[in-house]
Amino acid sequence: MAALDRPKLRSLAARRLEHMGEAYVVLEDPHRLCATPLVLGYDVFMRVVRHFDGRNTLLDVQRLVLETSSQYVEMAAIRELVEQLDRSLALEGPAFDAAVRSFYDAEERPAALAGMSYASEPDRLRADLDRFFRGRDGAGKLALPPPAAREERLTEAKPRLRAIVSPHIDFPRGGSVYTWAYKALVEQSDADVFVILGVAHQLCRRRFVLTRKDFATPLGVATTDRPYVDRLAEAAGSHLFDDELTHRSEHSIEFQAVFLKHVLGDRPFTIVPILVGSFHDLMKRRADPITDPEVGRFIRALREAEKSSGRKVAYIGGIDLCHVGPEFGDPGRVDDALQGQVREFDHAMLARAEAVDPVGWFRTASAVGDRWRVCGLAAAYTMLQVLGPSRGELLKYNQAVDDRKTCCVSFASMVFHAVAADAG
């Protein structure tokens, strides 16, 4: 029997919306294959669509509606609703399968949030990003010397830049903090490969997610280093592509690709995009993640891939810190006292990061049962494990609080430089 004869609604995020006295259900696609959120009448969703479970035929749905609501719905109306949802890619079936195949077959991952979280027009985007550097709390205008002078300065200046930590919060709230990390990167690093460890905000079957796709941005394409990715997959397993569709909508790497293209311009570079999933089960067990076979194997693969690449490699941790307030399930609104608690906790975490102490970083969060929901916990842990002898420095810290005091997100910019193995 054809899939649409037993329609099955995909796993979409659903929320109730009240508008002008009417109730609706808004369905949002975590993978952003649905171009826009779908809005259905609340009664239509509860009486009809909730029966689209892949087991019920259209006749079953018609019967269930009649039994549960005493309303008879014409079969033509049910078919029209199914076809509408299918065209919108809200149902499992041929249309959705074709969209997924199209993503997997493409060499580029599209800029999922261009035109929404940031400008899609290149000149406007450049102007917006420049304003973050020059504006209040920004790191200051980028002033790069000529290439020859730059090479000389890199040789004589600080030890080699090993990594940065950058936020992944949206640009309007966190853009100025991004600039501190990226100013350090462009002025102090001669790396030609940037391994980006981002946060997988969706549930993944694997702890790490790879992709070979290039990342499209309005400022040009950030090319993925496919041989580097292949070395990781060879060492840690091809299952690392099992959740690749997660890359389609995830912003934590996309925002780093945009900033890299902005600050590096025509300078040649490649990226290695890696999403890091949850370590929450390890936190509950109070286990050091390195003891987990999947984590340990991947961290060893990262070290070996860098060693065998023959390239100048730097790491980027695209992470945010705490998430508190009613929007995240807390009972009370965000006040000065809560912000102070968050700030104190964050600086304890960041001190462990500055010391390149992944065990201490993870243990500090575990000690409070992840009370503050550090969404960059696993990605930062992974990065700290692979840096080798290094020392970090906090450049900028901030908190974004909404006007209604229902949401507080904290984030920071950091830089890490290599130190001699025997340095104190």
Side-chain angles (χ1 to χ4, degrees), residues 251-292:
H251 63 276
S252 58
I253 293 177
E254 177 174 340
F255 289 171
Q256 313 310 321
V258 170
F259 257 91
L260 278 173
K261 288 300 296 182
H262 180 65
V263 300
L264 297 182
D266 294 332
R267 174 176 150 188
F269 71 92
T270 58
I271 64 172
V272 179
I274 303 166
L275 290 175
V276 186
S278 175
F279 289 4
H280 193 72
D281 59 317
L282 302 174
M283 174 181 289
K284 290 176 68 174
R285 302 203 311 262
R286 298 291 179 92
D288 182 354
I290 198 69
T291 63
D292 178 78

Side-chain angles (χ1 to χ4, degrees), residues 99-407:
V100 172
R101 283 196 304 272
S102 177
F103 170 77
Y104 281 120
D105 291 344
E107 293 191 357
E108 286 185 9
R109 175 230 186 245
L113 294 171
M116 290 181 284
S117 291
Y118 57 88
S120 58
E121 199 280 320
D123 288 343
R124 180 183 165 193
L125 176 57
R126 291 188 187 96
D128 290 344
L129 297 177
D130 282 337
R131 276 194 293 272
F132 292 137
F133 280 92
R134 299 193 308 266
R136 181 182 178 184
D137 294 330
K141 183 179 179 180
L142 291 172
L144 300 181
R150 179 175 176 278
E151 292 298 325
E152 181 179 340
R153 188 179 69 178
L154 285 171
T155 302
E156 296 176 353
K158 290 185 176 181
R160 181 166 62 100
L161 187 144
R162 282 292 285 147
I164 61 169
V165 160
S166 164
H168 65 234
I169 195 169
D170 57 274
F171 294 167
R173 289 186 290 175
S176 62
V177 176
Y178 279 82
T179 66
W180 292 84
Y182 279 97
K183 185 176 174 69
L185 180 145
V186 74
E187 294 180 353
Q188 299 176 27
S189 175
D190 62 350
D192 53 15
V193 179
F194 295 96
V195 178
I196 306 176
L197 293 158
V199 176
H201 291 88
Q202 301 171 44
L203 180 65
C204 295
R205 292 165 290 178
R206 309 296 182 179
R207 296 197 193 275
F208 303 95
V209 186
L210 297 180
T211 184
R212 297 183 179 91
K213 298 184 187 304
D214 300 331
F215 275 58
T217 83
L219 305 179
V221 174
T223 302
T224 291
D225 194 316
R226 292 185 177 90
Y228 205 115
V229 172
D230 288 341
R231 282 193 293 272
L232 289 173
E234 182 178 353
S238 59
H239 63 273
L240 297 173
F241 296 99
D242 286 356
D243 298 299
E244 187 178 7
L245 188 62
T246 306
H247 276 279
R248 173 65 181 79
S249 59
E250 180 52 64
H251 63 276
S252 58
I253 293 177
E254 177 174 340
F255 289 171
Q256 313 310 321
V258 170
F259 257 91
L260 278 173
K261 288 300 296 182
H262 180 65
V263 300
L264 297 182
D266 294 332
R267 174 176 150 188
F269 71 92
T270 58
I271 64 172
V272 179
I274 303 166
L275 290 175
V276 186
S278 175
F279 289 4
H280 193 72
D281 59 317
L282 302 174
M283 174 181 289
K284 290 176 68 174
R285 302 203 311 262
R286 298 291 179 92
D288 182 354
I290 198 69
T291 63
D292 178 78
E294 186 178 2
V295 176
R297 183 167 55 249
F298 189 75
I299 287 172
R300 289 192 297 272
L302 275 173
R303 292 170 179 159
E304 288 302 316
E306 178 181 356
K307 188 182 301 182
S308 63
S309 70
R311 309 283 296 281
K312 297 175 181 177
V313 177
Y315 293 84
I316 297 174
I319 71 165
D320 287 338
L321 300 171
C322 295
H323 292 63
V324 298
E327 185 173 315
F328 304 106
D330 291 324
R333 292 185 181 273
V334 177
D335 57 18
D336 290 345
L338 181 59
Q339 286 187 255
Q341 288 180 281
V342 168
R343 187 177 297 105
E344 182 179 357
F345 172 80
D346 280 339
H347 280 85
M349 291 284 288
L350 293 168
R352 293 300 87 217
E354 286 183 311
V356 191
D357 175 10
V359 176
W361 164 267
F362 196 77
R363 187 178 293 155
T364 302
S366 299
V368 295
D370 198 27
R371 160 68 182 89
W372 306 113
R373 306 178 190 90
V374 182
C375 81
L377 185 70
Y381 175 92
T382 302
M383 189 186 82
L384 294 172
Q385 279 285 4
V386 300
L387 291 186
S390 307
R391 185 172 291 116
E393 178 186 358
L394 175 63
L395 301 176
K396 192 70 174 178
Y397 170 84
N398 205 353
Q399 298 176 353
V401 181
D402 70 324
D403 292 338
R404 296 179 300 139
K405 302 291 185 179
T406 63
C407 166

